[in-house]
Amino acid sequence: MQPTMDEEPFRQDDLIVRPVRPWTPGVHALLASLPLHGFDAAPKPDGFDDVWERVTYLPGATGDLGDCAEMRSKQILQSAARLLRRYHHSSALVLRDLTVAWPWQLPPRLPSEVICHGDFAPYNVVLNDGEVIGIIDFEAAHPGPRIWDLAYAVYRWAPLSSSVAVEGLDSLATQIQRARLFVDAYGLPVSERSSLPAGIIERLEALLAFMEREAARGIERYRRNLQDGHDRIYREDIAYITKWSPEIVAGLRN
C-alpha cells in the first residue's frame, strides 16, 4: 500500500515506521552519524525502502507543556537545553563530515554551523526520571546556524506566545524567566542574546511561508493547519514578541 503525504508515523514493535520522503536519506545519514560523534540520545536508523522508513523507538514519556506538571518543571526545561547543546555539538561534526548534498525538508540556511533539529519542542523529546533523555522526529532537520534552532526552541519551551492556555505559563514575566533558564542552561553567551527575539520572529516568518507553500501544493496537513488558524497564532506571536522584544532582551541579558 502506498502511503499518502499525510500518513502519520506508527509504532511497530521496537521501531517507528513512517512514509519515505525525499529527505529520508539525509535524515538517516544524520541519525547514523550522531553516535559516531558522541550523541546517543536520538533514534537509530533501521533502513528504508521505496515506501517506508524505520527508526528505533526511544522508550520514555512524551507529551507537551500542558500535559503534566513535570513537563513544565525547571529540571526538564534545563535538561532539554543541555541536550540541545549536546546535539548541536555533535551535529556540527556530522555536518563537517558530510560528503553528500542531501535534500532536506526545510531549506538550509547560512551560515551552516550545525544540522538544526528544526522542531526542538516539548512534544519532540523523551523524558525519564525527571530528565530529557532523548530527541525524536528529525523530519525537519536541516543545516543552519545554531541560533536558528535555538530561537525556535526558546519560542516553544518558554513559551513566548500570547495564546498560551497552560496555567502558570501565560504571563510574560514567567515566559521570560523560562527563556532565561533555557539559554543559561544551553550556554548561550550573553553577547549573543540580544538577537534572539529577532531570530524567533524570522523563524516564525519562515514557518508561515513554508506552511502556505505546502498548503498551496495541496498537502492536506498544512491546509488543515491554515484552516485551524495556526497561521493566525504565529502572526499574533510575531506581534507579541515584537512588542515585548526590549523586555525579553533585558530579561535574557540581566
Side-chain angles (χ1 to χ4, degrees):
M1 181 180 66
Q2 196 72 21
T4 68
M5 284 294 289
D6 295 303
E7 190 99 24
E8 293 294 326
F10 59 91
R11 184 176 174 184
Q12 187 178 76
D13 299 324
D14 291 330
L15 298 174
I16 298 296
V17 182
R18 70 169 78 227
V20 164
R21 301 290 184 239
W23 50 86
T24 296
V27 172
H28 277 234
L30 166 64
L31 295 177
S33 298
L34 284 171
L36 304 178
H37 295 288
F39 192 83
D40 58 358
K44 307 295 189 298
D46 193 63
F48 58 91
D49 51 33
D50 292 339
V51 181
W52 301 105
E53 65 151 316
R54 296 165 297 279
V55 300
T56 56
Y57 168 76
L58 292 187
T62 57
D64 208 343
L65 292 176
D67 293 335
C68 65
E70 182 185 32
M71 182 63 85
R72 301 187 292 275
S73 71
K74 177 180 176 181
Q75 184 174 353
I76 292 297
L77 179 73
Q78 292 174 313
S79 66
R82 290 191 294 267
L83 188 60
L84 180 61
R85 179 61 183 244
R86 280 185 53 214
Y87 167 71
H88 282 166
H89 175 76
S90 296
S91 74
L93 300 176
V94 174
L95 181 62
R96 180 198 64 187
D97 294 344
L98 276 185
T99 58
V100 177
W102 298 110
W104 305 96
Q105 183 183 28
L106 300 180
R109 294 185 67 90
L110 298 176
S112 293
E113 300 168 338
V114 301
I115 299 181
C116 299
H117 176 271
D119 194 9
F120 188 80
Y123 47 77
N124 276 333
V125 301
V126 177
L127 278 56
N128 195 8
D129 291 333
E131 294 277 332
V132 174
I133 54 90
I135 309 174
I136 57 176
D137 195 354
F138 283 76
E139 288 290 283
H142 61 287
R146 67 177 64 236
I147 195 73
W148 182 250
D149 215 22
L150 180 60
Y152 192 70
V154 170
Y155 166 71
R156 286 296 187 184
W157 282 91
L160 287 170
S161 175
S162 60
S163 59
V164 178
V166 181
E167 185 178 357
L169 300 183
D170 53 355
S171 75
L172 178 65
T174 298
Q175 293 170 10
I176 293 175
Q177 180 185 46
R178 286 175 58 85
R180 173 63 182 265
L181 287 170
F182 196 96
V183 296
D184 281 351
Y186 180 89
L188 184 69
V190 173
S191 61
E192 297 180 23
R193 298 183 184 189
S194 296
S195 65
L196 202 58
I200 296 172
I201 291 167
E202 187 178 5
R203 179 67 177 83
L204 293 181
E205 289 173 341
L207 177 57
L208 278 168
F210 172 77
M211 288 173 55
E212 291 167 349
R213 184 170 62 249
E214 293 300 289
R217 288 203 310 123
I219 306 303
E220 184 60 29
R221 178 193 315 169
Y222 297 104
R223 291 177 62 182
R224 287 197 305 268
N225 285 347
L226 296 182
Q227 290 171 358
D228 293 342
H230 290 208
D231 55 330
R232 174 185 54 79
I233 292 172
Y234 292 135
R235 288 190 173 90
E236 289 175 353
D237 288 346
I238 288 171
Y240 178 74
I241 295 166
T242 300
K243 177 180 179 179
W244 297 110
S245 182
E247 286 79 3
I248 295 170
V249 169
L252 294 175
R253 290 179 57 90
N254 300 329

